Every structure is written in structure tokens, then in C-alpha cells.
Amino acid sequence: MAAEEGSWDNTVEEWLTSTEAGAYCYAGGLAQLEDGAFYAAAPQADEAGWGFIFKENYEESVLQDDGETEKKMAINEAAALKKLADTCKAPPPAEGGLWVGGTKYRVTKTDEKFESGDATFKLIQTAKPKGGMIVAVTKTQIVAGFFDEEKGQTCGNATKAVVAFAEYLVGLGY
């Protein structure tokens, strides 16, 4: 990927957030499966994508399994995204849960062998109030597309965009 490294932000924008792609996602990101850390984000203008999909390690009050107790937890978003990609499950509350861009998500649907064209990959739908994140996990990459119902975006259309991008990446050997 090194030869194309500089263009991955553009590629994410082209497939997920551009008007040509239907603007089905307000933000998108690409991370290495190896560590879950995003290395490309869209939209590119003023690096807006990074503001939506990334927040440096921080602490949050997290509701624990008992449904009553809140506990201050260290949040490492890349580690949580990697755990999601590896297991198709959000990290448990004892590990802080699933946070991306400073927003908490819950897993609503998973398919460990999603098929699209000749490609097979993991597909995970997550939700937050009035929106969510669609995640596709290929052999080496994590694709994340973010949708917001208040921007007229839907889970279905965001899924369509993420699946098309993941299928493209699988076709390139990623």
C-alpha cells in the first residue's frame, strides 16, 4: 500500500462520502486490521473526517454490566475497533465498550461471512442515537462508514457504500 499511501484519504472520500458515491456516509475511515488504528479519513476538507472518526486516548464514565454502576474507564479506540474486527463483538463494559471519535456505539448486527460479488468479508452494523457506523473487515483492512439520520442518511445506504468499498479492496488483495 505504500505506493498509494497519500491517496487513501481521497479513496475513502470517493467511495463513502462524496456526492458521486451518493453521500451515503458523512464520514469514513480506513484502518489496518493489524492494530485497528485509522490511517485514512474523509471528508478531507479541513481534515473534517479525522474529527468525526478519531479521538486520542481518553477517559469516559462507562455503565457497567449491572446496569447501575458507572466507572471511569480508559478508552483506546484503536484497540476497541481491533477487538470488534477480530470478534464481531463490542468490547465489554469492563473494557470500556466500543467508542469511535468520542462516540459510543453498540453492535446491532454481524455477518462473519458476508458475500458480495466474488468477495467475502465480515460486515458489522453498529448504532448510536439517530445514526451508526458500518464496518467491513477484509483480510488486512477495516473500513468504517458513518451515517446520520438527521442528514438524511440511512443504515441501508451506508451499508451499500461500505460493502462496495470493501469489495473493491478485496479485489485489490486487501
Side-chain angles (χ1 to χ4, degrees):
M1 283 195 323
E4 299 179 47
E5 199 74 45
S7 66
W8 284 112
D9 288 339
N10 190 52
T11 305
V12 171
E13 186 164 295
E14 181 182 320
W15 282 91
L16 299 179
T17 64
S18 70
T19 50
E20 293 81 15
Y24 292 148
C25 300
Y26 70 87
L30 200 52
Q32 292 279 358
L33 179 55
E34 184 180 303
D35 62 7
F38 285 116
Y39 64 87
Q44 296 179 82
D46 300 321
E47 296 194 349
W50 288 106
F52 293 126
I53 73 166
F54 175 78
K55 188 172 178 184
E56 198 68 56
N57 294 348
Y58 54 100
E59 280 196 347
E60 277 293 341
S61 290
V62 177
L63 191 63
Q64 297 302 295
D65 287 327
D66 65 9
E68 294 177 13
T69 312
E70 282 200 358
K71 185 177 171 187
K72 275 279 196 203
M73 305 288 302
I75 305 296
N76 177 325
E77 294 185 351
L81 188 60
K82 172 147 180 51
K83 183 157 195 133
L84 175 71
D86 289 344
T87 67
C88 286
K89 293 179 183 158
E95 294 176 26
L98 177 63
W99 295 78
V100 179
T103 300
K104 184 168 178 50
Y105 291 86
R106 60 185 171 76
V107 175
T108 56
K109 186 176 177 184
T110 62
D111 187 339
E112 294 196 36
K113 291 187 165 87
F114 184 85
E115 293 182 18
S116 179
D118 292 334
T120 302
F121 47 86
K122 293 178 185 176
L123 187 64
I124 305 160
Q125 292 179 352
T126 73
K128 67 174 188 171
K130 298 196 181 289
M133 171 179 64
I134 308 301
V135 177
V137 184
T138 68
K139 189 169 54 176
T140 64
Q141 304 299 304
I142 302 169
V143 177
F146 299 79
F147 68 96
D148 184 338
E149 293 167 0
E150 292 180 341
K151 290 178 167 62
Q153 298 165 337
T154 65
C155 179
N157 283 338
T159 300
K160 188 167 105 175
V162 169
V163 164
F165 188 23
E167 188 177 344
Y168 166 76
L169 290 171
V170 169
L172 293 178
Y174 298 116

